[in-house]
Amino acid sequence: MTQAVPAPAAVSAAAGAPALIALDWGTTSMRAYLLGEDGAVLQGRESSAGIMKLPAGGFDEVFDETCGAWLDLALALPVIAAGMVGSAQGWLEAPYIQTPADASALVGGIVKVQAKRGVTVHIVPGVLQPGMLPNVMRGEETQIFGALAGDASLESGAQGALIGLPGTHAKWAFVSGGRIERFYTFMTGETFSALRDHTILGRTMRATEHPESEAFVRGVDTAKDAGHAGMLATIFSTRTLGLTGQLAPEQQADYLSGLLIGHELRGLNEVLAREQANLAGKTLRLIGNDALCERYRVALARFGCNDAKTVALATERGLFRIAAQAGLVKSAARAG
Amino acid sequence: MTQAVPAPAAVSAAAGAPALIALDWGTTSMRAYLLGEDGAVLQGRESSAGIMKLPAGGFDEVFDETCGAWLDLALALPVIAAGMVGSAQGWLEAPYIQTPADASALVGGIVKVQAKRGVTVHIVPGVLQPGMLPNVMRGEETQIFGALAGDASLESGAQGALIGLPGTHAKWAFVSGGRIERFYTFMTGETFSALRDHTILGRTMRATEHPESEAFVRGVDTAKDAGHAGMLATIFSTRTLGLTGQLAPEQQADYLSGLLIGHELRGLNEVLAREQANLAGKTLRLIGNDALCERYRVALARFGCNDAKTVALATERGLFRIAAQAGLVKSAARAG
């Protein structure tokens, strides 16, 4: 269930003494990091025991299995955790803090749970944006503060910056002055899977090994251009372009993916338009796995946005930064 | 598999001699009607043998089972059929005719298949709208011409009329001068099912016996109002309104349904806006089952449209009208 993950070569050289155990504990998986005094990753371990897939021994068993060896070596290491581990179904609920949220508000919302082996685990709260269309995040707030750490350009600029976290439930956060001002959730990844696997659209698709980049871009452009009747209408073209010989079965999944990501960015652009702004004029960062961020970079370029960089190690940096701000690590050196 | 359906009392009194066997043969079911000289329904039979659920004997077996008794009584009855029975997976493929399409174009596209018992079955073609976002229909074209039959007001008016056919794949057709000018397909029903049954949104829903009308309207209004980031974002509020105690588990399915229907109508309204028109100013008709049409009427009212009438017997009337125009029935009396 647990396996060691090699520490990234680039940072492990910077080593230093172990200073913090940092956990990214989500619904379907858990990642544990042993961080040095300067925030560098010394070792990493990964477990499939997300909070919905716990073994009989629960949170304690997973914690022992992933972090026991580290704690045996250095019993006094502080422990910080973020993600669904702080939800109502988690180890201990860390009630949401509300937007606008800065790092010290996150620190103020930390809850502590005593692990069986005596160690205190500090759980970072999620963020809630109240209102008519409420939004919630758990884990992404930590990644966002990781992205802000050591990137001064993100905090400057009159309009602030936009940080995108593509995935099952993609998030786009508006940050400025070191705060998460507000954010949106797009069910892009999960809707894609549901449409592909459980509607007529999947029936004419054929799997392929290589990405169909042209079809992906075509989907993005179709969603972006105004001449359609909205997403419920455009998605049907995945089928009808196939029926009329304009889209091969191998291209249909990437076309649909492009459509949905295009509709996501179009929706975001409409929010910006109401504020006399647009994607092309914003400072953007992406957090996520490289392949998915690359898809978003391609899609963003269709919206005139060509400088969306992917932030590396956002989770590890975020956990270290919050731990430092909470006084859990002696050195408050930035994980830049 | 086959069961008799009582003829609607209101029209069976108008009887007359049997003149036509009319089949509405879709993917998951088949309905057969015995129509009189004036188009009135004399008898009806229903089978679960849609084209994807055929018995070993195929189309002939289903045809014999549903219509054999009628043919035994009056061997010379002409037979007309519409729907997926004319698709590539059907009894015989009736290639699509293209928009703009009038009734005589439909008649010109009829293909004939010889049933084993010697009778000729006339299959009405579907309609294709070519282009960058192609659209196809099979069966709905017949219902639309049924709606036009005997309703002069639909064909008048400078802007023509809009006919909506809610369902798994909802259609909205622009008709004028007795033609289907163009149409849109919205995957509203199928997307709703996929989101409810195969995403996180369904997990917090609780089934209820009575419709949650208030939650439905709230969903429609949310989708209609401009202040959001598009459908991929609004649907997530089904969950977050629940998390924040603003939407009970029993209300979440109807809220999501309202959201999707609202996004459908918003998309349609945006098409109209590009033509300096809007839903509130259009002549509208709905074709479909009463409960679903009633939901759409409620939703349309939120868009300022209060006179969307449901057309009764559109399928039967459409089949009779096309048969009459094809010379299959001697009396070309309108099924008004």
Side-chain angles (χ1 to χ4, degrees), chain B residues 137-148:
Chain B
M137 57 168 66
R138 275 201 191 273
E140 293 92 346
E141 73 295 327
T142 300
Q143 296 178 296
I144 291 167
F145 284 105
L148 295 178

Side-chain angles (χ1 to χ4, degrees), chain A residues 131-134 169 185-187 190 198-200 222 226-229 231-233 236-237 240-241 246 260 267 271 274, chain B residues 131-134 169 185-187 190 198-200 222 226-229 231-233 236-237 240-241 246 260 267 271 274:
Chain A
M132 290 285 291
L133 292 168
H169 297 166
T185 306
F186 297 84
M187 289 183 62
E190 197 173 17
H198 301 287
T199 74
I200 199 171
T222 298
H228 58 66
M231 193 185 108
L232 289 167
F236 193 60
S237 67
T240 55
L241 287 171
Q246 300 176 75
L260 296 197
V271 168
R274 292 195 289 273
Chain B
M132 290 285 292
L133 292 169
H169 298 166
T185 306
F186 298 84
M187 289 183 61
E190 198 173 16
H198 301 286
T199 74
I200 200 172
T222 298
H228 59 65
M231 193 185 108
L232 288 167
F236 193 60
S237 67
T240 55
L241 287 171
Q246 300 177 75
L260 296 196
V271 168
R274 293 195 289 273

Side-chain angles (χ1 to χ4, degrees), chain B residues 180-261:
Chain B
I180 299 172
E181 297 288 353
R182 60 197 162 105
F183 60 99
Y184 295 85
T185 306
F186 298 84
M187 289 183 61
T188 311
E190 198 173 16
T191 299
F192 174 77
S193 299
L195 292 175
R196 181 193 57 194
D197 299 339
H198 301 286
T199 74
I200 200 172
L201 300 184
R203 286 194 221 152
T204 50
M205 291 179 182
R206 198 177 299 148
T208 169
E209 290 295 303
H210 60 284
E212 292 282 348
S213 314
E214 203 182 309
F216 175 79
V217 169
R218 183 173 175 183
V220 174
D221 287 350
T222 298
K224 174 176 174 283
D225 290 342
H228 59 65
M231 193 185 108
L232 288 167
T234 59
I235 55 176
F236 193 60
S237 67
T238 310
R239 176 173 174 78
T240 55
L241 287 171
L243 284 176
T244 53
Q246 300 177 75
L247 197 66
E250 292 77 9
Q251 299 179 306
Q252 293 175 20
D254 273 329
Y255 175 75
L256 180 61
S257 167
L259 274 181
L260 296 196
I261 292 174

Side-chain angles (χ1 to χ4, degrees), chain A residues 112-166:
Chain A
K112 300 174 192 176
V113 61
Q114 198 79 3
K116 271 200 184 132
R117 63 183 299 151
V119 190
T120 299
V121 178
H122 300 78
I123 303 181
V124 179
V127 179
L128 163 72
Q129 177 178 298
M132 290 285 291
L133 292 168
N135 268 296
V136 290
M137 56 167 66
R138 273 201 192 273
E140 293 93 346
E141 73 295 328
T142 301
Q143 297 179 294
I144 290 167
F145 283 105
L148 294 178
D151 187 341
S153 71
L154 277 193
E155 304 197 16
S156 64
Q159 295 185 316
L162 254 175
I163 301 185
L165 302 97

